[in-house]
DNA sequence: TAACGAGGTTCATTTAATGAACCACTAACG
DNA sequence: CGTTAGTGGTTCATTAAATGAACCTCGTTA
């Protein structure tokens, strides 16, 4: 059902590591007959979503993508779309949410959606710089973000915020590899006492995290009974926000989060 | 021929002035049955090129556009694509080409492709700031670019480069309205003696020029016999480069250039 | 020279797209 | 308070378009 969709799905095979693909190759990748693959490519090309290199005859994403992206930004500026999705999640889980983005080389709070369902809630100062060693978001970023964050772990001085704060690079590195498998992490009062944080990555185009989404729960409500709901929401958000910012999930990323 | 293309063409109806469109409306715009329009939208939505606002039920460009645009930039960085197209045109007309882009509020040379076919050729210093009153590119930009360029014409001091340089704002304004109708312009040694320039606009997403493409011809080769070829190439470049940078031609723009 | 895989084409077969009529709902109006 | 006209969305017999095996041509490699 949907030839148009089948045609569009051919675009999925272009990636940063493989920005140009030949006809036979893409037909094989998509499991299509060469004839149909060619017709689809021609349709996409006419619209400008695909461009053929006249020399090599192979295909790449076309300039129409730029026009559409510009229109997208007009219709839904990045953070606007993110806020909507976070608000929806907030109503589901009834807790506050934080979106952090990697700006240059620091992790910064970009958006905070506070719960309206509880008077006891976690409030976070926006525009705060997030320590990588003390928060769920930070650890997530170390696991899925650019390598330089992990590399400079030793050279940086890691501040201790509470008793639970990790400051030993070795221990952090162990934790980071764990998170890499799980896809998410939590922090039990390692930044502020009484605050449980659950975080998951938001990926960019090259499948490297550009930020994180976190759900902050006060200790009293951080029961194991509520965890499945929180993890499900977290996973959905991770996917949706990745899409929202034009990113791509790694194939190896778990399809759901387990406690 | 091509359902996929028909589906994609629905995307054409989104614009900066109309970033969200309802089902019935877009069906009417595209001249499609509501049922087919809906199916197309659903296909585009599944791919992420369209997003439905759950509240208003109307549709807008989706986040997949961002991902594709990022991939496009990887495959063909803006100026790379432009250079290729300019090189192709250079072989056709055998003359040097200049691409200028509006950076902030000045017009700057972004790319120069020099002809390999003649030893007498026009060479231009790259990274030069282009005077709006003395060059074909500048005049083009005044005609099709942002309004502030025209507005500040009186307050700026207009340098005289040659005998032919226009320095009277009134005369320039007249010329600019002429160019607005023709779509292109030339300059006969108003910047440097012996250099004929032919220029046309490159449009951005909002149909306002973001730069220009110019063909520079030494006086000896600037015969009226060669003009049709030059104008045809210029028009093609104007369209292609507009697409290359993700822009959109105004509907009122001429479909060909006349002498 | 032969064999291979590349891009691209052809055309009988099949499958999926199409659209008129329909439903449910909302807002405006007399 | 019923009427009208506008939404968004669905249904299903009809029709038109997508499909793919086989084929062609051309450049590389053995």
């Amino acid at each position: 059902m949907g030839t148009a969709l089948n045609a569009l799905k051919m675009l999925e095979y272009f990636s940063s590591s493989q920005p140009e693909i030949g006809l036979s190759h893409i037909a094989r990748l998509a499991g299509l007959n060469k004839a149909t693959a060619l017709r689809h490519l021609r349709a996409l090309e006419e619209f400008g979503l695909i461009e053929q290199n006249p020399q090599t005859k192979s295909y790449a994403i076309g300039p129409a993508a730029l026009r559409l992206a510009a229109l997208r930004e007009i219709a839904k500026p990045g953070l606007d779309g993110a806020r909507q999705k976070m608000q929806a999640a907030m109503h589901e889980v009834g807790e506050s949410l934080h979106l952090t983005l990697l700006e240059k080389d620091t992790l910064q709070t970009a958006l905070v959606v506070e719960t309206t369902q509880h008077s006891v809630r976690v409030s976070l100062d926006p525009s705060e710089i997030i320590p990588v060693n003390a928060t769920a978001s930070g650890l997530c970023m170390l696991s899925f973000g650019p390598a330089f964050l992990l590399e400079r772990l030793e050279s940086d001085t890691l501040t201790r915020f509470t008793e639970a704060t990790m400051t030993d690079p070795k221990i952090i590195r162990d934790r980071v590899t764990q998170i890499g498998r799980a896809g998410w992490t939590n922090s039990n009062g390692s930044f502020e006492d009484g605050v449980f944080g659950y975080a998951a990555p938001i990926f960019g185009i090259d499948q490297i995290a550009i930020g994180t989404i976190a759900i902050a729960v006060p200790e009293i409500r951080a029961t194991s009974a509520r965890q499945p709901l929180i993890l499900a929401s977290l996973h959905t958000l991770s996917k949706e926000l990745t899409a929202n910012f034009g990113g791509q999930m790694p194939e190896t990323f778990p399809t759901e989060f387990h406690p």
Side-chain angles (χ1 to χ4, degrees), chain A residues 171-230:
Chain A
I171 295 176
I172 293 176
R173 281 202 137 85
D174 278 0
R175 181 71 177 277
V176 158
T177 55
Q178 264 179 49
I179 299 169
R181 280 192 295 272
W184 64 282
T185 186
N186 61 353
S187 64
N188 299 345
S190 57
F191 185 47
E192 265 187 72
D193 280 318
V195 176
F196 277 52
Y198 297 86
I202 298 167
F203 292 98
I205 184 72
D206 46 9
Q207 308 183 344
I208 291 171
I210 55 165
T212 68
I213 178 69
I215 305 182
V217 187
E219 198 165 5
I220 32 162
R221 285 200 298 276
T223 61
S224 58
R226 300 191 70 229
Q227 208 155 288
L229 173 64
I230 289 171

Side-chain angles (χ1 to χ4, degrees), chain A residues 15 19 31 33 39 48 58 79 102 109 112 122-123 127 132-133 139 157 164 176 188 203 227 259:
Chain A
S15 66
N33 187 289
R39 266 190 308 265
S58 57
L79 290 178
L102 190 67
T109 305
V112 177
V122 179
S123 285
S127 81
V132 288
N133 62 314
L139 292 169
T157 51
V176 158
N188 299 345
F203 292 98
Q227 208 155 288

Side-chain angles (χ1 to χ4, degrees), chain A residues 4 9 30 58 70-71 80 88 96 125-126 143 149 155 180 188 192 212 220 232 249:
Chain A
K9 277 188 178 157
S58 57
L71 287 173
D80 259 40
S96 301
D125 180 26
S143 298
L149 286 173
S155 53
N188 299 345
E192 265 187 72
T212 68
I220 32 162
M249 310 287 287

Side-chain angles (χ1 to χ4, degrees), chain A residues 10 23-28 31-41:
Chain A
M10 303 192 68
L23 171 62
S24 297
H25 191 185
I26 200 168
R28 245 176 290 126
L32 293 173
N33 187 289
K34 257 196 309 181
T36 59
L38 181 61
R39 266 190 308 265
H40 285 167
L41 286 171

